[in-house]
Amino acid sequence: MISRRALLTGTAAAATALTYPAWGSALSPHATAAPPTCELALENKSLPGNVNAYVTGHEQGSGRWVLLRANGGVYRPESPAQPQTPLPVDCAIPLRAAGAGPVVLTLPQMFGARVYFVRDGKLDFFLNPGPSLVEPAFATPADPNYGRTWSFCEFTFNPQQLYANISYVDLVTALPIGLTLQGDATHTVAPLPAGALQRIADGLVSQSARDGKPWDKLVLRGPNGAVLRVISPQNLMAPYFDRPDQMPFRDSWNSYINQVWNKYRTTDLRIDLQGGRGVLRGRVSGDTLTFTGGHSFPKPTSKDIFTCNHGPFANNPGDPDDKKALLARLAAGFNRSTLLTHPDQPNGATTADYYRDPVTNHFSRVLHANTPIGYAFPYDDVRPDGQPDVSGAAHDGNPRRFTVRVGS
């Protein structure tokens, strides 16, 4: 899992949305060389009014921030003298009217990338020295983009493959995005169903009434009271990372964590790394879960579970692949609340077993109850062998055309 970005105001962000498989089952172990470019088709499928797109990411090889332009060029911003300098070039890509077909550009290899859509307006981007691109903030009311109707999907196009996903790790909005990736095969990811945003909001408000946790605070509304977007728990928590005693959801997982740690003091937790990499067995001693092979994980906190990128779930670049595979499956088991009921992970459970405990990631539960696919937490691509992929990911080692549509 790639940690994405800091909040635009300079405070710590949740920074957990995916742009690459989370050491789950999506990445092909036999990927070969991908072409240097492919077609990128951006289409307004059904939205009235004007729609603009933006394509941002890091250039493969140099790592520099780049943005695609409507004329087919690539803009490489220079480092500004001051933080929060407005992007000096308009990189909006106007889409055609609803149903009029796509705008087609040439997509170079880039990673940590996003395709943004905004309805009836444009987005404001800024630069910090480096340069570092400051992208729109969805949970910061002071950001000029906060009240606008926009959303994004994520992708990485590297020398091995193009990998894309419909990400709800950070937020869900009223702009439904769908994907089609054509290469050695055709991969399609459906958009958010009509009316799903309101149903997700209603489900979280109801859950808050049941357990007293601030699930209702994940629902952000516009001036007229309508649902503007729904943010994930880690984004509500992020402004309080330096004030843990005030952090929302800070104790939400405590009882479940303690039960899991107590269970595996006397019982093996068996995690299949999948892809023929074997099964590792873990036991708890003290506050540490240690697996065969020596990889160990200290007791997590609610922050660690919701973010999947702190404490024992911090993704360190130098960690070996088998530890990253353990991390992903352990984090997924917590978020889905399957660790008490299924000592074999992830293959001991099915999707029907997810989110059954009262202590669970209810954002993910409600999201998946209202849309068939889409990342709801950073390791949502972890799945039992033979079970359907619910993460909303598409990948191909020989991409020819990547189509991103907005509208249902």
Side-chain angles (χ1 to χ4, degrees):
M1 189 270 295
I2 296 174
S3 179
R4 280 291 283 144
R5 50 182 56 75
L7 280 182
L8 309 185
T9 57
T11 58
T16 50
L18 291 175
T19 54
Y20 203 71
W23 297 96
S25 51
L27 179 60
S28 169
H30 307 296
T32 57
T37 64
C38 76
E39 290 185 344
L40 173 64
L42 304 173
E43 183 177 7
N44 175 6
K45 189 174 180 182
S46 64
L47 300 181
N50 298 319
V51 179
N52 284 295
Y54 296 83
V55 182
T56 70
H58 299 270
E59 186 174 52
Q60 185 67 36
S62 72
R64 289 188 57 174
W65 276 103
V66 293
L67 297 93
L68 299 192
R69 301 192 65 184
N71 63 6
V74 176
Y75 173 57
R76 298 172 177 84
E78 299 293 333
S79 183
Q82 300 293 329
Q84 295 292 114
T85 297
L87 193 72
V89 172
D90 184 0
C91 290
I93 303 169
L95 301 192
R96 295 174 180 167
V103 172
V104 181
L105 304 171
T106 297
L107 179 67
Q109 290 187 3
M110 54 200 301
F111 64 91
R114 286 181 170 181
V115 176
Y116 287 87
F117 294 105
V118 58
R119 184 175 175 180
D120 295 330
K122 294 185 176 182
L123 293 174
D124 288 316
F125 291 81
F126 300 87
L127 293 171
N128 285 338
S132 176
L133 184 68
V134 180
E135 297 183 270
F138 46 83
T140 305
D143 187 89
N145 302 292
Y146 180 84
R148 298 168 184 163
T149 303
W150 56 276
S151 191
F152 59 86
C153 72
E154 301 188 317
F155 71 94
T156 278
F157 180 19
N158 64 22
Q160 288 74 46
Q161 66 176 340
L162 195 156
Y163 175 88
N165 68 77
I166 301 296
S167 177
Y168 303 122
V169 167
D170 283 321
L171 75 162
V172 189
T173 80
L175 291 188
I177 297 175
L179 307 176
T180 299
L181 177 58
Q182 295 166 285
D184 289 333
T186 298
H187 317 268
T188 300
V189 180
L192 191 74
L197 179 66
Q198 185 63 55
R199 291 192 295 272
I200 291 167
D202 292 343
L204 291 170
V205 171
S206 296
Q207 181 60 41
S208 185
R210 284 193 294 272
D211 66 12
K213 304 297 183 183
W215 304 103
D216 58 326
K217 304 301 183 187
L218 304 180
V219 181
L220 305 184
R221 302 179 187 274
N224 61 356
V227 179
L228 185 63
R229 61 183 66 94
V230 175
I231 62 173
S232 57
Q234 62 265 34
N235 285 290
L236 186 66
M237 300 165 74
Y240 299 89
F241 282 175
D242 59 350
R243 293 172 285 161
D245 59 322
Q246 302 175 43
M247 186 169 58
F249 297 112
R250 60 189 175 276
D251 299 325
S252 294
W253 286 94
N254 287 6
S255 63
Y256 189 86
I257 293 166
N258 289 334
Q259 290 178 73
V260 169
W261 245 235
N262 288 333
K263 177 181 178 70
Y264 294 111
R265 292 184 193 280
T266 57
T267 302
D268 283 346
L269 173 59
R270 299 174 292 271
I271 294 188
D272 192 332
L273 305 186
Q274 301 179 283
R277 293 179 290 177
V279 176
L280 299 184
R281 297 172 181 267
R283 284 283 183 105
V284 171
S285 177
D287 281 339
T288 302
L289 172 63
T290 302
F291 288 88
T292 50
H295 300 305
S296 61
F297 298 85
K299 199 173 188 179
T301 66
S302 295
K303 171 186 172 182
D304 304 335
I305 293 170
F306 277 129
T307 67
C308 295
N309 196 33
H310 288 87
F313 303 138
N315 194 314
N316 301 308
D319 285 344
D321 289 357
D322 56 350
K323 183 171 185 180
K324 294 181 180 182
L326 282 171
L327 183 160
R329 286 151 182 79
L330 190 58
F334 267 111
N335 275 278
R336 294 167 177 161
S337 299
T338 57
L339 290 172
L340 285 178
T341 53
H342 295 79
D344 291 289
Q345 294 286 328
N347 288 329
T350 68
T351 54
D353 300 308
Y354 298 170
Y355 313 115
R356 301 295 294 272
D357 197 283
V359 179
T360 196
N361 185 338
H362 287 289
F363 170 81
S364 184
R365 177 186 65 79
V366 172
L367 180 80
H368 282 302
N370 288 284
T371 184
I373 52 177
Y375 267 101
F377 63 91
Y379 291 119
D380 214 359
D381 65 330
V382 170
R383 59 186 169 114
D385 291 335
Q387 290 294 306
D389 182 7
V390 299
S391 69
H395 59 101
D396 200 287
N398 185 32
R400 296 191 304 273
R401 187 180 179 99
F402 177 36
T403 301
V404 189
R405 300 181 181 89
V406 61
S408 55

